[in-house]
Amino acid sequence: MTQHLESREPRDGYAEGLVEIGAEYDDVFVLDGDCAKANYTTRFQERFPDRFFNLGIAECDIVGTAAGMAAMGRVPFANAYGNFLTGRGFDQVRVSVAYSGRNAKIVGHNAGTTAAQEGATHLPLEDVAIMRALPEMTVIVPCDAVEMRKAVHAVHALDGPVYLRVGKLPVPVVTDEDTPFEIGKAVRLREGDDVTLLTTGSMASETLGAADLLAAEGVKAEVLHLHTIKPLDAEAVIASVTKTGCAVTAEEHSVVGGLGSAVAEVLSEHLPAPLERVGTKDTFGLSGTMDELFDYFGLRAANIAQAARAAVERRS
């Protein structure tokens, strides 16, 4: 990961936000799947033990219970590892939450490559695609701990089903308290007019690093951070690519069904333009460290910069 900035764990920002809304609103309840220490939801448990429930390693039960709580007017945050919550719990998320329009918040932890050392099967590289396909589901992937805290507040305020993706390991903090956060609205991290770099989640710092590499070559890259994958800020995407004429997406997720697919859909319908997608290439995860997998999957600033050069060449 790019290390020129302060690094923090996104789950730390998540826990901060959770405790804050718990203190302000007594309708907030937290459910966990026997991984509260790893998810940092123990902080909520310590402050509000009567509103915390450990339901064990039972993702279907967690989601079903959350749906029931939502039906009774509570705002439940259902926490578990993202691969199991969206995989094993998919039917309950689909029917009991999304189809039923319940105000339940589905929180997938150990996102992307952050669970690499726990084994290949623990890496959720398809969770955004799975959740994005569900009608009525809002999908949010914050880029750092500061934005994650803001996202928790925004998610609580939004009436309806949400999937929130939370990373485990430290990533550089690229936003601050003054950076705006509004569900469905992109954040411009850098202005440019030669190529649009569209990023989400932990890839924000690598994408900014790619913009630095390109700047050294005289290429001015515009960097847009899309923390909301659904609904995507199509207006911002179209406006930026209209200016630059080409784009690159960067995500710690499969290029199939995630940010790359969402942007491709927007451009194909409204503004056909060269698009390169950086992410995992239709493959399962591997065991290793997060840094090792960033190298292996080609998720580095150098990979994004190379994709930008290809996009610019295609535009020419």
Side-chain angles (χ1 to χ4, degrees), residues 263-287:
V263 171
E265 291 163 10
V266 169
L267 294 181
S268 66
E269 292 177 357
H270 301 283
L271 183 68
L275 171 67
E276 299 286 331
R277 296 178 295 164
V278 174
T280 61
K281 307 297 185 183
D282 195 21
T283 184
F284 289 107
L286 297 171
S287 297

Side-chain angles (χ1 to χ4, degrees), residues 30-286:
V30 173
L31 312 177
D32 206 293
D34 210 23
C35 46
K37 288 184 178 180
N39 297 341
Y40 287 180
T41 55
T42 48
R43 298 183 193 178
F44 186 95
Q45 179 185 22
E46 291 165 0
R47 287 284 303 276
F48 315 105
D50 292 341
R51 288 186 275 145
F52 177 89
F53 298 90
N54 178 14
L55 300 182
I57 304 174
E59 292 78 14
C60 299
D61 193 23
I62 293 170
V63 177
T65 301
M69 284 185 169
M72 298 301 293
R74 277 65 170 177
V75 184
F77 283 70
N79 301 264
Y81 288 176
N83 58 321
F84 301 126
L85 191 59
T86 61
R88 293 174 179 166
F90 177 75
D91 185 58
Q92 283 71 30
V93 174
R94 178 178 180 269
V95 177
S96 300
V97 175
Y99 176 79
S100 301
R102 298 302 181 198
N103 187 28
K105 317 307 178 183
I106 310 302
V107 187
H109 291 263
N110 274 22
T113 63
T114 60
Q117 290 175 289
E118 297 179 36
T121 58
H122 280 59
L123 272 68
L125 299 175
E126 317 85 20
D127 56 321
V128 171
I130 294 170
M131 294 293 99
R132 178 175 165 258
L134 288 174
E136 307 300 327
M137 183 66 71
T138 295
V139 180
I140 300 177
V141 187
C143 66
D144 59 30
V146 173
E147 188 172 70
M148 185 68 72
R149 173 180 162 273
K150 297 176 186 176
V152 173
H153 285 266
V155 163
H156 175 265
L158 180 69
D159 184 13
V162 175
Y163 178 66
L164 178 64
R165 196 181 205 230
V166 181
K168 174 181 180 180
L169 299 180
V171 295
V173 176
V174 301
T175 67
D176 58 35
E177 293 301 329
D178 294 327
T179 304
F181 183 92
E182 182 180 350
I183 292 175
K185 295 296 182 181
V187 177
R188 181 182 288 105
L189 298 179
R190 187 167 302 184
E191 292 190 10
D193 52 20
D194 291 326
V195 60
T196 299
L197 306 182
L198 302 154
T199 183
T200 193
S202 63
M203 294 295 287
S205 62
E206 295 289 345
T207 304
L208 288 169
D212 290 338
L213 293 175
L214 294 168
E217 303 169 8
V219 177
K220 298 177 182 178
E222 179 149 285
V223 179
L224 290 185
H225 167 51
L226 296 161
H227 50 66
T228 307
I229 308 300
K230 183 185 180 185
L232 193 75
D233 191 348
E235 183 178 344
V237 172
I238 293 168
S240 182
V241 179
T242 297
K243 177 173 58 174
T244 65
C246 58
V248 176
T249 58
E251 59 193 311
E252 188 193 3
H253 181 274
S254 174
V255 296
V256 179
L259 175 65
S261 291
V263 171
E265 291 163 10
V266 169
L267 294 181
S268 66
E269 292 177 357
H270 301 283
L271 183 68
L275 171 67
E276 299 286 331
R277 296 178 295 164
V278 174
T280 61
K281 307 297 185 183
D282 195 21
T283 184
F284 289 107
L286 297 171

